[in-house]
Amino acid sequence: MNIHTVSTQPFTDQKPGTSGLRKRVPVFQQLHYLENFVQSIFDSLEGYQGQTLVLGGDGRYYNRQSIQIILKMAAANGFGRVLVGQGGILSTPAASCVIRKNKAFGGIILSASHNPGGPEGDFGIKYNTGNGGPAPEKVTEAIYERSKTIEGYKILEAPDVDLDQIGISQLGEMTVEVIDSVSDYAELMESLFDFDRIRQLFASGQFRLCVDSMHAVTGPYAHAILEQRLGAPAGTVINGKPLEDFGNGHPDPNLVYAHELVDIMFGEDAPDFGAASDGDGDRNMILGCQFFVTPSDSLAVLAANAKLVPGYSSGLAGIARSMPTSQAADRVAAQLGIDCYETPTGWKFFGNLLDAGKATLCGEESFGTGSNHVREKDGLWAVLFWLNILAVRQQSVEEIVQEHWRTYGRNYYSRHDYEGVDSDRATTLMGNLRTATATLKGKQFGAYTVEYADDFSYTDPIDGSVSQKQGLRVGFTDGSRIVFRLSGTGTQGATLRVYLESYQPDPGKQDLDAQDALAELIAIAEELAQIRTHTGMDKPTVIT
Ligand code: VG1
Ligand code: CO
């Protein structure tokens, strides 16, 4: 066998962020850059000799080349078998599913998720552990530490593997199995949801769906599950062919970037239900006819209706949400008499709660919802969950949400993103704000009085690990909140995220536009953080 040890020098910038290492493609294309990081992953693990690794990505530019490199490195480092998605394709939730189903040692997922792709776009890589979930902070820290001292990597000299043909081949002493990217995942979905009932909904001819895969990874999954297995008419899925540059789009399913779907759902003769997913298929946006469901509300609605869905008919053990996510889910949890956990941003913080059976559903305001069926958020799963609820309740999306608000009250919610901010200026803004939080308690801003102001710190209830500086939050006595965070997934400059929330129990006041309902809080956020001065921007880049 022809195994080479290639000597290399460390890069200083291989610190994983909220979800893996994300950099621009030209950064990854530097000599040894990808190899150094992959070897740093392997060097931080113990006991993988002869074990199985799962490998796949969202199909973006540099996916295929990276997979060939990683396969040869896995062989040289002693893995026994690699399961790789056909064509190098595995959505993030499907990768999680395949890791769990095959009891793999772990997996490597290649994606920069919702970031644009192409030769000048972004690329990313992350490691998932044997539970199918993103590596926890102690693992990503170890990988980063290793990357700072690495001196060489191991790689097998061998011809490329044919990724397009399903089947088994040999790479040195390691077996490579090219697997169908969809089937394991589709089977899992079928075990959770009432496919017959959803089939009837489509067969009724009274219901129309539009799913925008944004030329990203969910296309093959959505075609196979929605159109082939559930009988939705051909054409239900749009932009369903994964492209290396996402058709020049920005595969982020929000009101700004998924404008094609938004135009359809808010246009004339709009379908009843619309959904979009992101680059790697773990996010979802839910729309009704002329109606937008915030991700925080979506989580709350799924939780409140979970018993209607076969996979969750025995009820939920608990709910978990990231700190900036609205407290709508907390109200459902209180009603159900179950716990609601508040974690830092990033799916890796849900893993322990899911493994310990403390939470069944999890969600983030950033268009992420999921459950204990895998250890990643799952875009298509959320669409199927909604479809199942719609099929049972026979009401529109809007009716279901309105009814939810009448029962639980409405948590008005919005996130304002300022993208491409100068990093130093963003750091100054956060620094000033951090200092100010110490003296905010009890202060009055118009009708609002500050009840607490702090930098969110989380102690994991299972392993006791502590994560600090997870976002500055200012809470008011009426339950309203403003949260400030810097993004940990961007690749250029800094992105400031401002999260705004207020609670409205009065059904007579629940149909305002969120920006209007939150106007006073938006002004307070500006006053507190001096956003315009520090960012040099007079309005957010993206409002959701
Ligand atoms: C963002 C979201 C966060 C999400 C993360 C990864 O992180 O806010 O909720 O978990 O992206 O999602 P940040 O640090 O940029 O705010 V994905 O679909 O990019 O894997
Ligand atoms: Co994603």
PDB file of all heavy atoms in Angstrom, residues 300-334:
ATOM      1  N   ALA A 300     -43.253  26.155  18.197  1.00  0.00           N
ATOM      2  CA  ALA A 300     -44.321  26.105  19.199  1.00  0.00           C
ATOM      3  C   ALA A 300     -45.549  25.345  18.648  1.00  0.00           C
ATOM      4  O   ALA A 300     -46.161  24.550  19.355  1.00  0.00           O
ATOM      5  CB  ALA A 300     -44.708  27.517  19.619  1.00  0.00           C
ATOM      6  N   VAL A 301     -45.875  25.592  17.384  1.00  0.00           N
ATOM      7  CA  VAL A 301     -47.035  24.924  16.775  1.00  0.00           C
ATOM      8  C   VAL A 301     -46.781  23.413  16.656  1.00  0.00           C
ATOM      9  O   VAL A 301     -47.650  22.597  16.969  1.00  0.00           O
ATOM     10  CB  VAL A 301     -47.363  25.546  15.392  1.00  0.00           C
ATOM     11  CG1 VAL A 301     -48.391  24.703  14.640  1.00  0.00           C
ATOM     12  CG2 VAL A 301     -47.859  26.983  15.550  1.00  0.00           C
ATOM     13  N   LEU A 302     -45.573  23.051  16.233  1.00  0.00           N
ATOM     14  CA  LEU A 302     -45.257  21.620  16.130  1.00  0.00           C
ATOM     15  C   LEU A 302     -45.379  20.961  17.506  1.00  0.00           C
ATOM     16  O   LEU A 302     -45.942  19.876  17.647  1.00  0.00           O
ATOM     17  CB  LEU A 302     -43.844  21.389  15.578  1.00  0.00           C
ATOM     18  CG  LEU A 302     -43.506  21.920  14.184  1.00  0.00           C
ATOM     19  CD1 LEU A 302     -42.147  21.397  13.736  1.00  0.00           C
ATOM     20  CD2 LEU A 302     -44.556  21.543  13.148  1.00  0.00           C
ATOM     21  N   ALA A 303     -44.876  21.641  18.518  1.00  0.00           N
ATOM     22  CA  ALA A 303     -44.923  21.070  19.870  1.00  0.00           C
ATOM     23  C   ALA A 303     -46.370  20.900  20.333  1.00  0.00           C
ATOM     24  O   ALA A 303     -46.749  19.855  20.868  1.00  0.00           O
ATOM     25  CB  ALA A 303     -44.149  21.955  20.839  1.00  0.00           C
ATOM     26  N   ALA A 304     -47.176  21.930  20.079  1.00  0.00           N
ATOM     27  CA  ALA A 304     -48.564  21.886  20.560  1.00  0.00           C
ATOM     28  C   ALA A 304     -49.383  20.815  19.836  1.00  0.00           C
ATOM     29  O   ALA A 304     -50.372  20.322  20.367  1.00  0.00           O
ATOM     30  CB  ALA A 304     -49.208  23.263  20.381  1.00  0.00           C
ATOM     31  N   ASN A 305     -48.966  20.466  18.604  1.00  0.00           N
ATOM     32  CA  ASN A 305     -49.730  19.509  17.803  1.00  0.00           C
ATOM     33  C   ASN A 305     -49.049  18.148  17.665  1.00  0.00           C
ATOM     34  O   ASN A 305     -49.479  17.311  16.873  1.00  0.00           O
ATOM     35  CB  ASN A 305     -49.973  20.084  16.400  1.00  0.00           C
ATOM     36  CG  ASN A 305     -50.934  21.265  16.441  1.00  0.00           C
ATOM     37  OD1 ASN A 305     -52.138  21.080  16.501  1.00  0.00           O
ATOM     38  ND2 ASN A 305     -50.394  22.477  16.440  1.00  0.00           N
ATOM     39  N   ALA A 306     -47.993  17.942  18.428  1.00  0.00           N
ATOM     40  CA  ALA A 306     -47.171  16.748  18.223  1.00  0.00           C
ATOM     41  C   ALA A 306     -47.968  15.449  18.333  1.00  0.00           C
ATOM     42  O   ALA A 306     -47.698  14.482  17.620  1.00  0.00           O
ATOM     43  CB  ALA A 306     -46.009  16.748  19.212  1.00  0.00           C
ATOM     44  N   LYS A 307     -48.958  15.444  19.196  1.00  0.00           N
ATOM     45  CA  LYS A 307     -49.695  14.184  19.401  1.00  0.00           C
ATOM     46  C   LYS A 307     -50.486  13.751  18.167  1.00  0.00           C
ATOM     47  O   LYS A 307     -50.957  12.610  18.095  1.00  0.00           O
ATOM     48  CB  LYS A 307     -50.614  14.314  20.610  1.00  0.00           C
ATOM     49  CG  LYS A 307     -49.833  14.224  21.913  1.00  0.00           C
ATOM     50  CD  LYS A 307     -50.739  13.863  23.064  1.00  0.00           C
ATOM     51  CE  LYS A 307     -49.904  13.528  24.281  1.00  0.00           C
ATOM     52  NZ  LYS A 307     -50.691  13.410  25.495  1.00  0.00           N
ATOM     53  N   LEU A 308     -50.666  14.652  17.216  1.00  0.00           N
ATOM     54  CA  LEU A 308     -51.376  14.298  15.985  1.00  0.00           C
ATOM     55  C   LEU A 308     -50.494  13.506  15.026  1.00  0.00           C
ATOM     56  O   LEU A 308     -50.957  13.001  14.015  1.00  0.00           O
ATOM     57  CB  LEU A 308     -51.861  15.570  15.268  1.00  0.00           C
ATOM     58  CG  LEU A 308     -52.755  16.522  16.060  1.00  0.00           C
ATOM     59  CD1 LEU A 308     -53.113  17.737  15.212  1.00  0.00           C
ATOM     60  CD2 LEU A 308     -54.017  15.792  16.514  1.00  0.00           C
ATOM     61  N   VAL A 309     -49.213  13.446  15.344  1.00  0.00           N
ATOM     62  CA  VAL A 309     -48.249  12.823  14.435  1.00  0.00           C
ATOM     63  C   VAL A 309     -47.804  11.476  15.018  1.00  0.00           C
ATOM     64  O   VAL A 309     -47.393  11.423  16.183  1.00  0.00           O
ATOM     65  CB  VAL A 309     -47.031  13.767  14.265  1.00  0.00           C
ATOM     66  CG1 VAL A 309     -45.938  13.117  13.445  1.00  0.00           C
ATOM     67  CG2 VAL A 309     -47.483  15.084  13.632  1.00  0.00           C
ATOM     68  N   PRO A 310     -47.893  10.387  14.222  1.00  0.00           N
ATOM     69  CA  PRO A 310     -47.608   9.058  14.784  1.00  0.00           C
ATOM     70  C   PRO A 310     -46.289   8.975  15.564  1.00  0.00           C
ATOM     71  O   PRO A 310     -46.262   8.431  16.669  1.00  0.00           O
ATOM     72  CB  PRO A 310     -47.557   8.159  13.543  1.00  0.00           C
ATOM     73  CG  PRO A 310     -48.377   8.870  12.510  1.00  0.00           C
ATOM     74  CD  PRO A 310     -48.302  10.337  12.815  1.00  0.00           C
ATOM     75  N   GLY A 311     -45.214   9.550  15.033  1.00  0.00           N
ATOM     76  CA  GLY A 311     -43.912   9.425  15.683  1.00  0.00           C
ATOM     77  C   GLY A 311     -43.833  10.108  17.039  1.00  0.00           C
ATOM     78  O   GLY A 311     -42.889   9.889  17.802  1.00  0.00           O
ATOM     79  N   TYR A 312     -44.809  10.961  17.336  1.00  0.00           N
ATOM     80  CA  TYR A 312     -44.769  11.722  18.586  1.00  0.00           C
ATOM     81  C   TYR A 312     -46.077  11.591  19.364  1.00  0.00           C
ATOM     82  O   TYR A 312     -46.369  12.388  20.252  1.00  0.00           O
ATOM     83  CB  TYR A 312     -44.456  13.203  18.285  1.00  0.00           C
ATOM     84  CG  TYR A 312     -43.213  13.321  17.436  1.00  0.00           C
ATOM     85  CD1 TYR A 312     -43.300  13.303  16.029  1.00  0.00           C
ATOM     86  CD2 TYR A 312     -41.952  13.354  18.020  1.00  0.00           C
ATOM     87  CE1 TYR A 312     -42.152  13.336  15.243  1.00  0.00           C
ATOM     88  CE2 TYR A 312     -40.807  13.395  17.247  1.00  0.00           C
ATOM     89  CZ  TYR A 312     -40.908  13.378  15.855  1.00  0.00           C
ATOM     90  OH  TYR A 312     -39.775  13.394  15.088  1.00  0.00           O
ATOM     91  N   SER A 313     -46.856  10.558  19.007  1.00  0.00           N
ATOM     92  CA  SER A 313     -48.213  10.451  19.558  1.00  0.00           C
ATOM     93  C   SER A 313     -48.212  10.202  21.061  1.00  0.00           C
ATOM     94  O   SER A 313     -49.196  10.475  21.745  1.00  0.00           O
ATOM     95  CB  SER A 313     -48.990   9.351  18.834  1.00  0.00           C
ATOM     96  OG  SER A 313     -48.279   8.153  18.960  1.00  0.00           O
ATOM     97  N   SER A 314     -47.094   9.694  21.587  1.00  0.00           N
ATOM     98  CA  SER A 314     -47.093   9.456  23.030  1.00  0.00           C
ATOM     99  C   SER A 314     -46.641  10.689  23.809  1.00  0.00           C
ATOM    100  O   SER A 314     -46.472  10.632  25.032  1.00  0.00           O
ATOM    101  CB  SER A 314     -46.224   8.241  23.359  1.00  0.00           C
ATOM    102  OG  SER A 314     -44.937   8.455  22.884  1.00  0.00           O
ATOM    103  N   GLY A 315     -46.455  11.785  23.133  1.00  0.00           N
ATOM    104  CA  GLY A 315     -46.127  13.032  23.834  1.00  0.00           C
ATOM    105  C   GLY A 315     -44.640  13.342  23.816  1.00  0.00           C
ATOM    106  O   GLY A 315     -43.827  12.541  23.375  1.00  0.00           O
ATOM    107  N   LEU A 316     -44.323  14.513  24.306  1.00  0.00           N
ATOM    108  CA  LEU A 316     -42.944  14.994  24.275  1.00  0.00           C
ATOM    109  C   LEU A 316     -42.323  14.904  25.665  1.00  0.00           C
ATOM    110  O   LEU A 316     -42.984  15.177  26.661  1.00  0.00           O
ATOM    111  CB  LEU A 316     -42.913  16.461  23.824  1.00  0.00           C
ATOM    112  CG  LEU A 316     -43.637  16.800  22.518  1.00  0.00           C
ATOM    113  CD1 LEU A 316     -43.598  18.312  22.259  1.00  0.00           C
ATOM    114  CD2 LEU A 316     -43.012  16.049  21.345  1.00  0.00           C
ATOM    115  N   ALA A 317     -41.022  14.554  25.700  1.00  0.00           N
ATOM    116  CA  ALA A 317     -40.328  14.525  26.997  1.00  0.00           C
ATOM    117  C   ALA A 317     -39.991  15.938  27.438  1.00  0.00           C
ATOM    118  O   ALA A 317     -39.995  16.266  28.622  1.00  0.00           O
ATOM    119  CB  ALA A 317     -39.058  13.695  26.873  1.00  0.00           C
ATOM    120  N   GLY A 318     -39.683  16.786  26.489  1.00  0.00           N
ATOM    121  CA  GLY A 318     -39.312  18.163  26.784  1.00  0.00           C
ATOM    122  C   GLY A 318     -39.060  18.883  25.471  1.00  0.00           C
ATOM    123  O   GLY A 318     -39.070  18.271  24.406  1.00  0.00           O
ATOM    124  N   ILE A 319     -38.871  20.196  25.573  1.00  0.00           N
ATOM    125  CA  ILE A 319     -38.571  20.999  24.390  1.00  0.00           C
ATOM    126  C   ILE A 319     -37.279  21.756  24.688  1.00  0.00           C
ATOM    127  O   ILE A 319     -37.026  22.126  25.835  1.00  0.00           O
ATOM    128  CB  ILE A 319     -39.696  22.027  24.107  1.00  0.00           C
ATOM    129  CG1 ILE A 319     -41.056  21.329  24.000  1.00  0.00           C
ATOM    130  CG2 ILE A 319     -39.420  22.814  22.830  1.00  0.00           C
ATOM    131  CD1 ILE A 319     -42.237  22.305  23.891  1.00  0.00           C
ATOM    132  N   ALA A 320     -36.466  21.975  23.664  1.00  0.00           N
ATOM    133  CA  ALA A 320     -35.286  22.811  23.850  1.00  0.00           C
ATOM    134  C   ALA A 320     -35.242  23.844  22.741  1.00  0.00           C
ATOM    135  O   ALA A 320     -35.611  23.556  21.610  1.00  0.00           O
ATOM    136  CB  ALA A 320     -34.019  21.958  23.838  1.00  0.00           C
ATOM    137  N   ARG A 321     -34.830  25.044  23.105  1.00  0.00           N
ATOM    138  CA  ARG A 321     -34.693  26.100  22.093  1.00  0.00           C
ATOM    139  C   ARG A 321     -33.424  26.873  22.378  1.00  0.00           C
ATOM    140  O   ARG A 321     -32.964  26.956  23.523  1.00  0.00           O
ATOM    141  CB  ARG A 321     -35.905  27.044  22.103  1.00  0.00           C
ATOM    142  CG  ARG A 321     -36.079  27.781  23.413  1.00  0.00           C
ATOM    143  CD  ARG A 321     -36.948  29.014  23.277  1.00  0.00           C
ATOM    144  NE  ARG A 321     -37.189  29.613  24.589  1.00  0.00           N
ATOM    145  CZ  ARG A 321     -36.368  30.476  25.180  1.00  0.00           C
ATOM    146  NH1 ARG A 321     -35.242  30.843  24.585  1.00  0.00           N
ATOM    147  NH2 ARG A 321     -36.646  30.958  26.374  1.00  0.00           N
ATOM    148  N   SER A 322     -32.851  27.465  21.331  1.00  0.00           N
ATOM    149  CA  SER A 322     -31.678  28.304  21.550  1.00  0.00           C
ATOM    150  C   SER A 322     -32.120  29.596  22.233  1.00  0.00           C
ATOM    151  O   SER A 322     -33.278  30.009  22.107  1.00  0.00           O
ATOM    152  CB  SER A 322     -30.971  28.609  20.225  1.00  0.00           C
ATOM    153  OG  SER A 322     -31.764  29.451  19.426  1.00  0.00           O
ATOM    154  N   MET A 323     -31.191  30.207  22.939  1.00  0.00           N
ATOM    155  CA  MET A 323     -31.534  31.379  23.749  1.00  0.00           C
ATOM    156  C   MET A 323     -32.245  32.485  22.959  1.00  0.00           C
ATOM    157  O   MET A 323     -33.267  33.009  23.404  1.00  0.00           O
ATOM    158  CB  MET A 323     -30.265  31.882  24.450  1.00  0.00           C
ATOM    159  CG  MET A 323     -30.444  33.057  25.367  1.00  0.00           C
ATOM    160  SD  MET A 323     -30.328  34.627  24.485  1.00  0.00           S
ATOM    161  CE  MET A 323     -28.548  34.748  24.247  1.00  0.00           C
ATOM    162  N   PRO A 324     -31.742  32.852  21.758  1.00  0.00           N
ATOM    163  CA  PRO A 324     -32.428  33.953  21.066  1.00  0.00           C
ATOM    164  C   PRO A 324     -33.790  33.576  20.483  1.00  0.00           C
ATOM    165  O   PRO A 324     -34.537  34.460  20.058  1.00  0.00           O
ATOM    166  CB  PRO A 324     -31.459  34.315  19.922  1.00  0.00           C
ATOM    167  CG  PRO A 324     -30.175  33.655  20.243  1.00  0.00           C
ATOM    168  CD  PRO A 324     -30.510  32.461  21.065  1.00  0.00           C
ATOM    169  N   THR A 325     -34.110  32.305  20.422  1.00  0.00           N
ATOM    170  CA  THR A 325     -35.413  31.863  19.896  1.00  0.00           C
ATOM    171  C   THR A 325     -36.526  32.364  20.812  1.00  0.00           C
ATOM    172  O   THR A 325     -36.353  32.405  22.032  1.00  0.00           O
ATOM    173  CB  THR A 325     -35.430  30.323  19.799  1.00  0.00           C
ATOM    174  OG1 THR A 325     -34.348  29.923  18.956  1.00  0.00           O
ATOM    175  CG2 THR A 325     -36.734  29.798  19.237  1.00  0.00           C
ATOM    176  N   SER A 326     -37.668  32.715  20.240  1.00  0.00           N
ATOM    177  CA  SER A 326     -38.723  33.313  21.066  1.00  0.00           C
ATOM    178  C   SER A 326     -39.245  32.326  22.110  1.00  0.00           C
ATOM    179  O   SER A 326     -39.068  31.112  21.994  1.00  0.00           O
ATOM    180  CB  SER A 326     -39.884  33.823  20.195  1.00  0.00           C
ATOM    181  OG  SER A 326     -40.943  32.895  20.190  1.00  0.00           O
ATOM    182  N   GLN A 327     -39.919  32.887  23.094  1.00  0.00           N
ATOM    183  CA  GLN A 327     -40.391  32.065  24.207  1.00  0.00           C
ATOM    184  C   GLN A 327     -41.764  31.431  23.935  1.00  0.00           C
ATOM    185  O   GLN A 327     -42.411  30.918  24.849  1.00  0.00           O
ATOM    186  CB  GLN A 327     -40.422  32.911  25.475  1.00  0.00           C
ATOM    187  CG  GLN A 327     -39.006  33.390  25.854  1.00  0.00           C
ATOM    188  CD  GLN A 327     -38.996  34.573  26.808  1.00  0.00           C
ATOM    189  OE1 GLN A 327     -38.863  34.412  28.007  1.00  0.00           O
ATOM    190  NE2 GLN A 327     -39.150  35.762  26.266  1.00  0.00           N
ATOM    191  N   ALA A 328     -42.177  31.445  22.653  1.00  0.00           N
ATOM    192  CA  ALA A 328     -43.466  30.827  22.315  1.00  0.00           C
ATOM    193  C   ALA A 328     -43.489  29.346  22.718  1.00  0.00           C
ATOM    194  O   ALA A 328     -44.501  28.850  23.230  1.00  0.00           O
ATOM    195  CB  ALA A 328     -43.747  30.975  20.821  1.00  0.00           C
ATOM    196  N   ALA A 329     -42.375  28.648  22.505  1.00  0.00           N
ATOM    197  CA  ALA A 329     -42.332  27.226  22.842  1.00  0.00           C
ATOM    198  C   ALA A 329     -42.419  27.003  24.355  1.00  0.00           C
ATOM    199  O   ALA A 329     -42.955  25.991  24.818  1.00  0.00           O
ATOM    200  CB  ALA A 329     -41.062  26.585  22.289  1.00  0.00           C
ATOM    201  N   ASP A 330     -41.897  27.964  25.121  1.00  0.00           N
ATOM    202  CA  ASP A 330     -41.933  27.837  26.589  1.00  0.00           C
ATOM    203  C   ASP A 330     -43.383  27.771  27.075  1.00  0.00           C
ATOM    204  O   ASP A 330     -43.707  27.071  28.037  1.00  0.00           O
ATOM    205  CB  ASP A 330     -41.252  29.029  27.266  1.00  0.00           C
ATOM    206  CG  ASP A 330     -39.817  29.243  26.804  1.00  0.00           C
ATOM    207  OD1 ASP A 330     -39.550  29.073  25.602  1.00  0.00           O
ATOM    208  OD2 ASP A 330     -38.966  29.586  27.648  1.00  0.00           O
ATOM    209  N   ARG A 331     -44.236  28.542  26.386  1.00  0.00           N
ATOM    210  CA  ARG A 331     -45.646  28.591  26.801  1.00  0.00           C
ATOM    211  C   ARG A 331     -46.334  27.266  26.530  1.00  0.00           C
ATOM    212  O   ARG A 331     -47.160  26.807  27.310  1.00  0.00           O
ATOM    213  CB  ARG A 331     -46.360  29.732  26.074  1.00  0.00           C
ATOM    214  CG  ARG A 331     -45.717  31.046  26.451  1.00  0.00           C
ATOM    215  CD  ARG A 331     -46.448  32.265  25.988  1.00  0.00           C
ATOM    216  NE  ARG A 331     -45.737  33.425  26.521  1.00  0.00           N
ATOM    217  CZ  ARG A 331     -45.964  33.941  27.712  1.00  0.00           C
ATOM    218  NH1 ARG A 331     -46.919  33.479  28.480  1.00  0.00           N
ATOM    219  NH2 ARG A 331     -45.231  34.951  28.152  1.00  0.00           N
ATOM    220  N   VAL A 332     -45.966  26.648  25.413  1.00  0.00           N
ATOM    221  CA  VAL A 332     -46.535  25.330  25.111  1.00  0.00           C
ATOM    222  C   VAL A 332     -46.034  24.311  26.131  1.00  0.00           C
ATOM    223  O   VAL A 332     -46.803  23.506  26.667  1.00  0.00           O
ATOM    224  CB  VAL A 332     -46.174  24.890  23.672  1.00  0.00           C
ATOM    225  CG1 VAL A 332     -46.690  23.484  23.390  1.00  0.00           C
ATOM    226  CG2 VAL A 332     -46.719  25.887  22.652  1.00  0.00           C
ATOM    227  N   ALA A 333     -44.727  24.382  26.415  1.00  0.00           N
ATOM    228  CA  ALA A 333     -44.148  23.438  27.381  1.00  0.00           C
ATOM    229  C   ALA A 333     -44.852  23.576  28.733  1.00  0.00           C
ATOM    230  O   ALA A 333     -45.192  22.571  29.377  1.00  0.00           O
ATOM    231  CB  ALA A 333     -42.649  23.683  27.531  1.00  0.00           C
ATOM    232  N   ALA A 334     -45.083  24.815  29.144  1.00  0.00           N
ATOM    233  CA  ALA A 334     -45.735  25.042  30.444  1.00  0.00           C
ATOM    234  C   ALA A 334     -47.123  24.399  30.453  1.00  0.00           C
ATOM    235  O   ALA A 334     -47.507  23.720  31.409  1.00  0.00           O
ATOM    236  CB  ALA A 334     -45.834  26.539  30.719  1.00  0.00           C
TER     237      ALA A 334
END
